[in-house]
Amino acid sequence: MIRNLTVFLLFLSLTGCPPDNPYVPPDLLYLFKNYEVEKNPTAIRAGDFNNDGFTDLVTSNISSNSLSLLFGNGDGSFQTQVPIRVCQEPRNLAVEDFNQDTHLDLAIACYGSDQISILSGRGDGTFEKVSQYHVNRAPVSIATGDFNSDQFLDLVVALRNDKLQLFFGNGMGKFLRGPLYVHGDTPTSVVTADVNGDGHLDLAVSNGGPMSSAVSIWLGHGDGNFSHAHDYRTGKRPLSVSFADFDNDGWLDLFVINGQMNTITVFLGNGDGTFQDGIDSGGDAGPNHGLAQDFDGDKILDIDVVNIQSGSLSILFGKGDGSFQYPPRLYPTPYAPFAITSLTLAKDRDEQPGLAIVNNAKHSVSIFLHHGLNSRKVLGNATEG
């Protein structure tokens, strides 16, 4: 018996016993350049606003009552910002073609003036203010979609006082006030998608107040009305919510950024509008906003998160089951990174995904470009406000 054990140990020493090697996340990005914008940017969106085929960026700057336009050169660089004076304390914005003229327009959540402001794009990088709509009160997030099945884009706005306000578009850039829903506790973000496969858009709302700490799912009927929300408990102070398919089963999942717990919670979808219990993953200190995309080309979604407290960007690489490798890859960013958007540099060009990040305390945008692996953006939060 002892002789057999000795032979077995000798065999292991010769063939090698695979060690438990710690996971080393790939280094896929690099900080390309920082660009100045106006004071305290809180949101960032990408789009081609001057129709030159290159991706541009727009930020909402809450302390300067302005937007900043950064026109792209197609190589990762951007021109000096062009500020646009808008409403009081623009907190969030959505980019769509609301009047069907093929030019991108803007819908702005004006936190300080309790308004939604609509700017119509002229296609040359300039905008015209076309309308404003009062809300009650303090809009923090805005999202788009056709909620009443008339083929025109509508708006849904999350209000700080536990309400959701709908506006129905007429296809010409104007909107009619729709239902007002009261639910939750201090909404922080709203996104849209069809989570139960009935062809009608549904809503997910993160509720950051201490009495809730939940994400609410509102199922749409296709006529502009929604069923009463069903809540799923998250970590403390959820700040943003997005849709993605992390386990490649064809059903949308949820992921929630929890600002007070320093965690990301993933809820795997069942395909019928319900979700499984949350799976928590760690990132870095003070996560505030995130998006999902495939960075390493393995056809499994990863998550990018900006972290205010640690001043970092963290990338969590997906395992394909709603969980993520640990540790994440961390990149330093300048002073209080607040929001993030995916970035491709030119229209219809096969590119690896980059990122654009707004730094709230530094009044800047950081451009991160991909080192060059053959990966593509799969799904982000393009419909999120």
Side-chain angles (χ1 to χ4, degrees):
M1 183 70 179
I2 294 177
R3 181 176 179 277
N4 290 340
L5 178 60
T6 303
V7 171
F8 178 70
L9 292 175
L10 177 62
F11 173 78
L12 287 180
S13 67
L14 292 174
T15 59
C17 185
D20 292 327
N21 292 324
Y23 173 74
V24 178
D27 180 12
L28 300 182
L29 295 177
Y30 65 99
L31 176 59
F32 178 70
K33 198 168 183 180
N34 297 313
Y35 291 91
E36 181 180 350
V37 295
E38 296 211 315
K39 290 183 180 179
N40 302 119
T42 52
I44 185 167
R45 298 287 182 265
D48 183 4
F49 302 116
N50 57 0
N51 289 322
D52 63 356
F54 301 143
T55 300
D56 311 312
L57 297 169
V58 59
T59 68
S60 59
N61 312 305
I62 197 167
S63 293
S64 57
N65 301 329
S66 70
L67 308 180
S68 290
L69 284 168
L70 297 170
F71 293 110
N73 299 315
D75 59 359
S77 67
F78 291 81
Q79 300 170 33
T80 302
Q81 66 159 328
V82 177
I84 303 175
R85 299 299 161 199
V86 286
C87 51
Q88 186 177 350
E89 296 183 6
R91 175 64 176 81
N92 204 273
L93 71 162
V95 175
E96 292 284 359
D97 178 10
F98 295 117
N99 58 4
Q100 304 182 95
D101 65 353
T102 73
H103 306 318
L104 290 176
D105 310 312
L106 305 175
I108 308 165
C110 306
Y111 185 88
S113 56
D114 301 331
Q115 290 176 322
I116 301 303
S117 182
I118 307 297
L119 303 186
S120 177
R122 297 187 177 100
D124 59 358
T126 64
F127 292 84
E128 175 187 4
K129 185 182 295 184
V130 294
S131 54
Q132 289 184 321
Y133 303 94
H134 181 77
V135 294
N136 178 26
R137 66 181 169 80
V140 294
S141 184
I142 187 168
T144 65
D146 180 8
F147 306 125
N148 58 358
S149 305
D150 63 356
Q151 309 305 310
F152 301 141
L153 283 173
D154 309 314
L155 300 173
V156 58
V157 187
L159 308 176
R160 203 67 171 174
N161 60 341
D162 310 338
K163 294 179 175 65
L164 287 178
Q165 177 68 65
L166 269 72
F167 291 92
F168 297 130
N170 66 359
M172 295 180 287
K174 299 293 183 69
F175 295 85
L176 296 174
R177 188 178 304 273
L180 178 69
Y181 292 97
V182 180
H183 183 79
D185 180 17
T186 318
T188 53
S189 73
V190 56
V191 292
T192 67
D194 179 8
V195 298
N196 59 356
D198 65 355
H200 305 316
L201 284 178
D202 311 306
L203 308 176
V205 181
S206 55
N207 298 285
M211 301 300 292
S212 178
S213 291
V215 59
S216 301
I217 303 299
W218 299 76
L219 297 181
H221 301 309
D223 59 357
N225 294 296
F226 292 83
S227 297
H228 189 73
H230 182 83
D231 288 350
Y232 294 86
R233 296 285 295 180
T234 68
K236 289 186 178 179
R237 197 168 173 251
L239 296 177
S240 71
V241 59
S242 296
F243 291 109
D245 182 6
F246 292 107
D247 55 357
N248 288 328
D249 63 358
W251 298 335
L252 284 176
D253 312 314
L254 290 170
F255 73 98
V256 181
I257 307 298
N258 303 305
Q260 204 165 323
M261 296 287 289
N262 300 334
T263 58
I264 296 93
T265 305
V266 170
F267 298 86
L268 295 179
N270 297 317
D272 59 359
T274 65
F275 295 85
Q276 302 173 31
D277 291 340
I279 304 169
D280 288 337
S281 299
D284 209 355
N288 192 69
H289 187 241
L291 60 85
Q293 58 189 23
D294 177 14
F295 259 116
D296 54 4
D298 62 356
K299 311 302 181 186
I300 297 172
L301 286 180
D302 314 308
I303 290 183
D304 321 311
V305 181
V306 287
N307 309 286
I308 293 180
Q309 186 175 337
S310 58
S312 70
L313 160 68
S314 55
I315 301 181
L316 289 74
F317 291 96
K319 295 181 179 179
D321 59 0
S323 66
F324 299 87
Q325 302 283 357
Y326 192 86
R329 169 64 64 176
L330 300 178
Y331 298 90
T333 68
Y335 306 105
F338 199 88
I340 186 171
T341 189
S342 184
L343 179 65
T344 53
L345 303 181
K347 184 179 180 180
D348 300 326
R349 198 159 74 188
D350 187 16
E351 296 176 348
Q352 295 79 22
L355 296 170
I357 296 168
V358 289
N359 304 296
N360 185 266
K362 188 66 174 177
H363 323 309
S364 67
V365 171
S366 293
I367 304 299
F368 283 83
L369 298 181
H370 201 288
H371 278 308
L373 286 180
N374 187 23
S375 58
R376 294 183 180 181
K377 182 175 70 169
V378 178
L379 179 64
N381 56 349
T383 56
E384 179 191 351

